[in-house]
Amino acid sequence: MARFSGRFPWFAPTRRHTGRSPGGNGRRARDGGPPKPLIQRLRALVDVHSVAGQMFLLQVLIVLLLVVAAVITLLVQARSDRFQGARDRSLASAESFAHAPGLPAVVQKGHPGASVVLQPLTEDARKRGGVDFIVVMDRKGIRFTHPIPNRIGKKFVGNIKPSLAGRTTIESVYGPLGHEVQATVPVKDAKGKVVALVSSGMRVSRVSSAVDRQLPVVIGAGGAALALTTAGTALVSRRLRRQTRGLGPAEMTRMYEHHDAVLHAVREGVLILDADGRVLLANDEAQKLLGLPADAEGQCLADLGLDSKIAELLTSGRAISDEVVPVNDRLLALNIRSTDRQGGPPGSVATLRDSTDLLALAGKAEVTQSRLRLLYEASVAIGTTLDVRRTAEELTQVAVRWFADYASVDLAEPVLSGGEPPVGSYREAPELRRVAVTGISDDHPLYRPGEVHTYLSLTPMATGFVNGQSVLVPDVRAAGDWYPDDPGRLELVMSHGCESLITVPLQARGVRMGIVNFWRSRERPFEEGELSLAEEMAARAAVCIDNARRFTREHAMAVTLQESLLPRGLPEQSALDLAHRYLPAQTGVGGDWFDVIPLPGARVALVVGDVVGHGLHAAATMGRLRTAVQNFSTLDLPPDELLGFLDELVNRIDEEAIAANDEATVAGATCLYAIYDPSSGRCALARAGHLPPALVHPDGTVAYPDLPASPPLGVGGLPFESVELLLPEGSNLVLYTDGLVEDRNHDIDTGMHQLATALAHRDRTPQETCEAVLGALLPDRQRDDIALLVARTRLLPPDRIAEWEVPADPAAVAEARANLTRQLLEWGLEEEVFTTELILSELVTNAIVYASGPIGVRLLYDRTLICEVSDTSSTAPHLRFAAGEDEGGRGLFLVARMAGRWGTRYTAEGKIIWAELALR
């Protein structure tokens, strides 16, 4: 019953305290539940785990056994009756027809005459006799008659040998009409000779039996017995449910076991009293707590000698919740509830719990909770930054807030710079620097931050540092062994109220980095249990300090590497007045870079770029890209072509990283490349995913030139576009990286607007512009590198530029030399005339011989003297060593020897061969 009660609601017991049984007979239950379906009642009834179900199944088996036995008996009797009836009829019909007068004479006629005479007679006799067939046959068994005409003349199915011998044969066969009982009788003539045979038979199934009338009676009686059994079992089951309140044997056994376990195994007293205050039940714990005798059950509580207060509470009958009552030397938590609620018997039940030890445990739990709170606060507040000094300050602040009156941290000098103190044992405490100190007041005599000191050998600080062990000094005044070592300062410390000390060395990964001191006043000295708390707090701080130290070292290494890869200084040139700023990120170096590259023709290239990511890899990639830009610039390529070569380089770097399965090192970068020509004031720019430069006009207005937005380097597959701008003299071209204008608090458009506002001033020098921009846009917490390059444009004076055309005639070389000589004399460069004439002659002669079209000559007087010869050919000359018998090949060799630098650059119209001479 217990197992089915959860699945079949009809059989589920109602609330046990009411004493009500669930409704049945298809009606609504007393507690308002819906009527239970009949099928659920039957399922509950046949539950083999209940007593009623087992009784029901036993009765059903008995009834079924009786019914089956009766039916089998009737069936056996019916079978016997059918065979006997079929035998009697068949035998009577066969004998009657076989002894008919004149039959032997007709049979002796033979076929077919006998068949014609006998067929109607046998059919008439068969119908009157109620059999299925009457067959007349000869001695060979050939039929003269048969109910089925086509069977006439065929051999009889059956055993005729006994009949041929004059005996009657009765047998059961399966003939043409089915399962039959047939009797075969001999036909004899007057002499007693067997002349023919007569067989009569009928199907067994045609014989009726009394079983057909008795079987329904037997089955009906069995059904009635089964119904009575079901009804009786249901009544018994219902009565059992009422008496056991819906509990089956297993549940009752389990309830008793639980009852016994609750009363005798739990450490809580249970006392049940009736309405008269008589003890109905008292478990072992209740007897122990109240001091009751073993035979207390059945006695009146007032007669058991209990304290008057506890006896009055137990017999009061009112509800009590967790009231603490002193009993003897114990404190008992008392709970009382009435048992007559919801229809139960009158009385009360009381539970008693010994809470004497809870007070001590509560105090210990509070201390433990406060220590856990301190460790949690320490884990959250210490190590918020990767700064050694700030981490030490956080340790002292947390300690003073929760643990000590004063706290100080001393560290070895190498730790502050990211170094590592020597590993191993110490004979004496090294020189330490006070990094942080925090206390309940600022007028303390402890060492101040920044002071360097060495603890004397007998002090707890020196002892703890040398041994690597924490030291607890509950009372400093009682520590006479080290008191004389430093009486002056110690006296000041104690007079300030610091008379209890815990000193803990700061060590991580086996490296001793410093020491932390905790001070308290005499009113609440440190206890032994607080030493482990101080060690745990110091251990967490030591790990954070060690992480900050290593970060400081790695950051310094990365910054050093980055600075070594950036320009050490700006090259000398006259085209631009330059100023720059580079600020590495506070959390780690990045891949931002800038460069200023002098180009032939007094031109200058300006570069600014940004490699994606941070760390050493980004810095190394930046160095590779900067070197590549410098190499590509020697080819004197336009900005868009140079970015194309740079894009291929980044793609190769990515392919190398992918081939090495190092996806973390895949490069990605942006770049802005500009070439400024002071002779014309034109500036060609191209960018690859980089922010556009800011252009500050001489009147102070700021604009962002509309440069085509090309993809970043490394994307590949798309060409870059360049734009040429005409910059007035005195304009400021500002190149920068995204770290300057991008911030978490605003989008990049806001940053660019702030940059334009900071630049919108006239008559500022580039240095002043850099200071103003950083003052306005530098974030409080710099998370990315910042590269800033400000270039004020200059123009080469027109009187320092000379240019003319030379006809493509060898005779014109002399005129070109004459023009050159006049111009150099006008500039006061008499000493350069001979060398420059020789260089110009060779360049012009080469252009006349190997090129076509107009030939142009231009002289630029800047820091150097620049001679340029232009033509329309795209074929560049190459320097080679001429053999002794060669007629040519010596001109460029002379140019290379006499000029400081020379080279070729291509233009849209052809090429320019230039030579640069240093001025004396």
Side-chain angles (χ1 to χ4, degrees):
M1 286 190 292
R3 184 170 301 180
F4 278 83
S5 62
R7 293 187 294 169
F8 304 116
W10 171 80
F11 200 69
T14 58
R15 298 179 179 176
R16 297 174 184 173
H17 62 266
T18 62
R20 300 175 181 175
S21 60
N25 302 323
R27 299 178 182 176
R28 182 173 296 272
R30 296 182 182 178
D31 58 355
K36 311 305 179 185
L38 181 59
I39 186 65
Q40 294 186 0
R41 302 181 192 176
L42 294 177
R43 289 179 179 177
L45 194 61
V46 299
D47 185 7
V48 296
H49 298 281
S50 65
V51 176
Q54 295 172 359
M55 291 176 58
F56 174 72
L57 291 179
L58 179 59
Q59 294 175 4
V60 168
L61 290 176
I62 294 173
V63 171
L64 290 178
L65 181 61
L66 293 176
V67 171
V68 170
V71 170
I72 292 175
T73 302
L74 290 176
L75 292 176
V76 172
Q77 183 64 36
R79 178 180 177 84
S80 177
D81 292 345
R82 286 194 176 97
F83 274 94
Q84 186 63 36
R87 176 180 178 283
D88 293 343
R89 286 191 187 183
S90 300
L91 181 59
S93 299
E95 288 183 346
S96 299
F97 201 86
H99 295 94
L103 179 59
V106 176
V107 171
Q108 291 177 353
K109 293 181 178 181
H111 293 280
S115 296
V116 175
V117 175
L118 295 177
Q119 179 67 16
L121 298 176
T122 55
E123 284 301 302
D124 182 60
R126 178 182 67 80
K127 293 176 181 179
R128 285 187 287 107
V131 294
D132 290 332
F133 67 88
I134 296 177
V135 175
V136 180
M137 67 194 86
D138 60 11
R139 288 178 58 85
K140 295 180 180 180
I142 303 301
R143 300 188 184 99
F144 292 106
T145 63
H146 197 276
I148 302 175
N150 59 6
R151 300 288 182 176
I152 298 174
K154 295 183 179 180
K155 191 174 182 61
F156 174 72
V157 178
N159 185 14
I160 60 175
K161 289 183 178 181
S163 299
L164 292 176
R167 297 191 300 271
T168 298
T169 303
I170 299 175
E171 57 184 340
S172 174
V173 298
Y174 289 88
L177 299 179
H179 186 200
E180 302 166 334
V181 175
Q182 61 185 15
T184 306
V185 179
V187 179
K188 300 180 180 179
D189 57 9
K191 297 180 181 181
K193 179 181 179 182
V194 177
V195 296
L197 302 174
V198 176
S199 178
S200 176
M202 66 179 303
R203 295 189 301 273
V204 177
S205 59
R206 289 187 57 192
V207 180
S208 62
S209 174
V211 176
D212 298 335
R213 298 182 300 273
Q214 297 171 355
L215 188 59
V217 176
V218 172
I219 294 177
L226 187 60
L228 290 175
T229 300
T230 303
T233 304
L235 292 175
V236 172
S237 175
R238 184 174 181 180
R239 185 173 184 84
L240 286 174
R241 285 200 308 273
R242 286 182 177 180
Q243 293 180 350
T244 62
R245 301 198 177 202
L247 298 178
E251 283 185 329
M252 294 182 67
T253 302
R254 187 161 53 251
M255 186 177 67
Y256 174 78
E257 293 173 351
H258 293 171
H259 172 271
D260 185 69
V262 169
L263 291 182
H264 302 289
V266 299
R267 296 185 59 186
E268 187 165 340
V270 179
L271 184 69
I272 301 178
L273 305 176
D274 61 10
D276 299 328
R278 193 176 302 276
V279 179
L280 299 180
L281 185 144
N283 68 344
D284 298 342
E285 190 69 14
Q287 294 177 4
K288 173 184 175 183
L289 296 177
L290 295 177
L292 299 178
D295 57 348
E297 294 184 3
Q299 299 185 36
C300 185
L301 189 66
D303 301 334
L304 297 177
L306 294 180
D307 184 78
S308 58
K309 184 176 181 180
I310 187 67
E312 180 182 355
L313 289 175
L314 292 173
T315 57
S316 64
R318 60 186 178 91
I320 296 176
S321 297
D322 291 330
E323 182 172 341
V324 179
V325 182
V327 177
N328 299 328
D329 58 345
R330 298 177 180 272
L331 292 176
L332 303 184
L334 179 63
N335 289 272
I336 299 178
R337 293 292 184 273
S338 175
T339 59
D340 59 359
R341 295 182 303 168
Q342 301 176 349
S348 62
V349 58
T351 60
L352 305 102
R353 184 174 63 257
D354 188 359
S355 60
T356 306
D357 298 335
L358 291 181
L359 296 178
L361 291 177
K364 294 181 180 179
E366 185 176 357
V367 173
T368 303
Q369 185 177 9
S370 63
R371 293 180 179 179
L372 291 176
R373 189 185 308 114
L374 171 58
L375 292 178
Y376 172 75
E377 290 290 336
S379 64
V380 173
I382 299 175
T384 59
T385 64
L386 289 173
D387 182 80
V388 174
R389 298 180 185 273
R390 180 56 189 159
T391 303
E393 292 173 358
E394 292 170 346
L395 169 60
T396 60
Q397 291 169 1
V398 171
V400 170
R401 188 183 307 123
W402 295 95
F403 183 66
D405 294 335
Y406 293 91
S408 62
V409 175
D410 304 322
L411 296 177
E413 285 288 348
V415 176
L416 299 176
S417 59
E420 187 169 300
V423 180
S425 59
Y426 291 84
R427 292 186 177 181
E428 60 182 12
E431 188 177 70
L432 301 176
R433 181 180 294 275
R434 177 60 51 86
V435 178
V437 58
T438 305
I440 56 178
S441 64
D442 295 333
D443 58 341
H444 54 78
L446 301 175
Y447 291 114
R448 298 291 173 172
E451 292 187 32
V452 179
H453 59 276
T454 302
Y455 287 111
L456 299 179
S457 58
L458 296 180
T459 60
M461 300 80 163
T463 303
F465 187 91
V466 171
N467 297 333
Q469 302 292 329
S470 304
V471 178
L472 168 64
V473 184
D475 187 0
V476 175
R477 293 186 180 275
D481 52 345
W482 59 277
Y483 180 88
D485 247 2
D486 191 8
R489 178 169 293 275
L490 183 60
E491 189 64 37
L492 289 175
V493 172
M494 290 189 298
S495 63
H496 197 74
C498 301
E499 300 186 8
S500 184
L501 169 67
I502 290 181
T503 178
V504 183
L506 292 172
Q507 51 189 356
R509 301 183 302 107
V511 177
R512 217 165 297 163
M513 299 175 291
I515 199 165
V516 55
N517 300 320
F518 304 101
W519 295 91
R520 272 191 193 173
S521 63
R522 180 188 298 177
E523 285 73 16
R524 56 186 194 101
F526 289 113
E527 299 176 357
E528 189 69 30
E530 293 176 314
L531 182 61
S532 60
L533 178 62
E535 292 175 343
E536 180 68 21
M537 189 163 46
R540 298 190 182 193
V543 173
C544 296
I545 291 175
D546 186 59
N547 290 338
R549 177 192 63 80
R550 292 197 293 171
F551 171 79
T552 301
R553 181 185 60 189
E554 294 175 1
H555 182 70
M557 293 172 56
V559 170
T560 302
L561 171 63
Q562 189 180 39
E563 290 176 349
S564 67
L565 297 175
L566 289 171
R568 298 297 182 90
L570 298 180
E572 294 183 358
Q573 45 82 34
S574 303
L576 298 168
D577 185 11
L578 296 168
H580 66 89
R581 295 290 187 275
Y582 186 86
L583 301 177
Q586 297 178 4
T587 57
V589 298
D592 294 13
W593 92 93
F594 70 93
D595 210 346
V596 178
I597 305 172
L599 297 178
R603 296 169 304 138
V604 177
L606 303 177
V607 190
V608 65
D610 184 5
V611 176
V612 176
H614 292 81
L616 294 177
H617 169 70
T621 304
M622 175 268 291
R624 297 176 68 178
L625 295 182
R626 178 172 176 260
T627 303
V629 170
Q630 289 181 338
N631 292 334
F632 291 147
S633 65
T634 59
L635 302 177
D636 210 347
L637 299 173
D640 53 343
E641 294 185 17
L642 185 141
L643 291 181
F645 284 111
L646 202 61
D647 182 64
E648 292 181 4
L649 173 63
V650 175
N651 283 330
R652 286 197 296 272
I653 294 175
D654 291 347
E655 291 174 358
E656 292 175 359
I658 294 174
N661 294 325
D662 190 4
E663 296 183 359
T665 61
V666 174
T670 63
C671 184
L672 174 63
Y673 188 80
I675 299 177
Y676 176 69
D677 188 353
S679 64
S680 61
R682 296 186 177 277
C683 182
L685 305 96
R687 62 174 176 146
H690 203 83
L691 296 174
L695 179 60
V696 185
H697 294 278
D699 60 357
T701 59
V702 181
Y704 291 99
D706 186 14
L707 299 184
S710 301
L713 300 174
V715 175
L718 296 176
F720 298 94
E721 300 181 52
S722 62
V723 172
E724 191 173 87
L725 304 176
L726 181 61
L727 304 182
E729 186 175 11
S731 301
N732 282 339
L733 188 64
V734 182
L735 284 68
Y736 54 92
T737 56
D738 57 358
L740 181 66
V741 296
E742 191 174 22
D743 190 75
R744 293 183 178 181
N745 299 325
H746 55 74
D747 57 14
I748 197 168
D749 293 335
T750 303
M752 295 181 69
H753 177 72
Q754 293 176 353
L755 175 61
T757 303
L759 292 173
H761 293 276
R762 55 184 301 177
D763 299 331
R764 272 182 180 170
T765 65
Q767 294 289 349
E768 294 172 344
T769 301
C770 288
E771 296 297 332
V773 168
L774 294 181
L777 278 79
L778 188 64
D780 296 334
R781 180 66 176 171
Q782 184 185 340
R783 295 180 172 84
D784 197 4
D785 293 2
I786 295 177
L788 176 64
L789 181 62
V790 179
R792 171 169 286 184
T793 60
R794 298 174 181 172
L795 289 177
L796 197 63
D799 58 354
R800 294 291 186 99
I801 303 174
E803 54 184 338
W804 64 90
E805 288 191 3
V806 177
D809 185 359
V813 176
E815 183 180 357
R817 287 199 300 269
N819 293 335
L820 172 67
T821 302
R822 280 194 305 271
Q823 186 62 55
L824 294 182
L825 293 176
E826 182 179 343
W827 287 340
L829 302 176
E830 296 84 357
E831 296 183 2
E832 280 74 23
V833 171
F834 175 77
T835 304
T836 309
E837 282 185 346
L838 180 60
I839 291 175
L840 180 64
S841 298
E842 292 298 334
L843 295 181
V844 171
T845 301
N846 281 338
I848 293 174
V849 173
Y850 297 106
S852 62
I855 300 172
V857 176
R858 188 173 76 155
L859 297 177
L860 300 177
Y861 180 19
D862 192 34
R863 292 177 178 270
T864 59
L865 180 62
I866 302 171
C867 178
E868 297 180 346
V869 176
S870 61
D871 57 54
T872 59
S873 174
S874 60
T875 303
H878 297 282
L879 182 65
R880 66 184 179 88
F881 290 94
E885 63 275 7
D886 289 346
E887 296 182 358
R890 297 178 177 84
L892 284 180
F893 180 77
L894 293 176
V895 172
R897 294 286 295 178
M898 294 182 177
R901 295 190 307 160
W902 77 279
T904 304
R905 74 173 182 267
Y906 294 93
T907 64
E909 295 80 14
K911 69 176 183 296
I912 295 176
I913 304 176
W914 56 271
E916 187 176 298
L917 290 82
L919 299 178
R920 302 177 188 177

